[in-house]
Amino acid sequence: MKLLAIMRPRDGVDVQREVARHAASELGELWKLYRGGTVREMYAPAGPGAVLVLEADSVEAAQEALSQLPLLVNEVMALELIELRPFTALQMLFREGVAR
């Protein structure tokens, strides 16, 4: 299963200070997840946070894998997980009677 993980700073947190404080351990944990195949892609949004593309057996398995990230453990970031499914709407173009 493919998932999108969006990590955003929690309200009231000094993001610069806390990210700097946990950066080395956060990056080490991310590297383990990448090397193990759970994290497939990593992106930096325009502001603080991260966007990860994950591969996991379930949403629960993805949550468990990410639960060791120091920025989540220390409540610096909030996590949103979105299950990604194949986009199938284009098949409507190939049905009989559909104007193209």
Side-chain angles (χ1 to χ4, degrees), residues 68-94:
Q68 300 306 307
L69 292 176
L71 293 178
L72 295 175
V73 169
N74 292 287
E75 298 184 350
V76 176
M77 297 282 171
L79 174 65
E80 179 182 3
L81 277 177
I82 301 168
E83 181 181 345
L84 301 175
R85 296 180 183 165
F87 185 77
T88 59
L90 290 177
Q91 67 189 346
M92 293 172 47
L93 292 173
F94 303 102

Side-chain angles (χ1 to χ4, degrees), residues 4-96:
L4 187 66
I6 303 170
M7 294 173 58
R8 294 184 180 99
R10 290 186 179 274
D11 290 337
V13 172
D14 183 342
V15 177
Q16 283 186 317
R17 184 185 69 180
E18 292 300 317
V19 168
R21 186 172 147 206
H22 299 290
S25 55
E26 180 79 6
L27 293 173
E29 290 299 320
L30 271 174
W31 173 244
K32 288 178 194 174
L33 292 172
Y34 181 78
R35 194 178 51 200
T38 299
V39 173
R40 298 294 180 105
E41 301 172 45
M42 295 176 261
Y43 298 95
V51 177
L52 311 173
V53 177
L54 309 174
E55 191 69 40
D57 291 334
S58 65
V59 172
E60 295 78 20
Q63 287 174 323
E64 176 64 28
L66 295 177
S67 72
Q68 300 306 307
L69 292 176
L71 293 178
L72 295 175
V73 169
N74 292 287
E75 298 184 350
V76 176
M77 297 282 171
L79 174 65
E80 179 182 3
L81 277 177
I82 301 168
E83 181 181 345
L84 301 175
R85 296 180 183 165
F87 185 77
T88 59
L90 290 177
Q91 67 189 346
M92 293 172 47
L93 292 173
F94 303 102
R95 290 190 187 146
E96 270 190 52

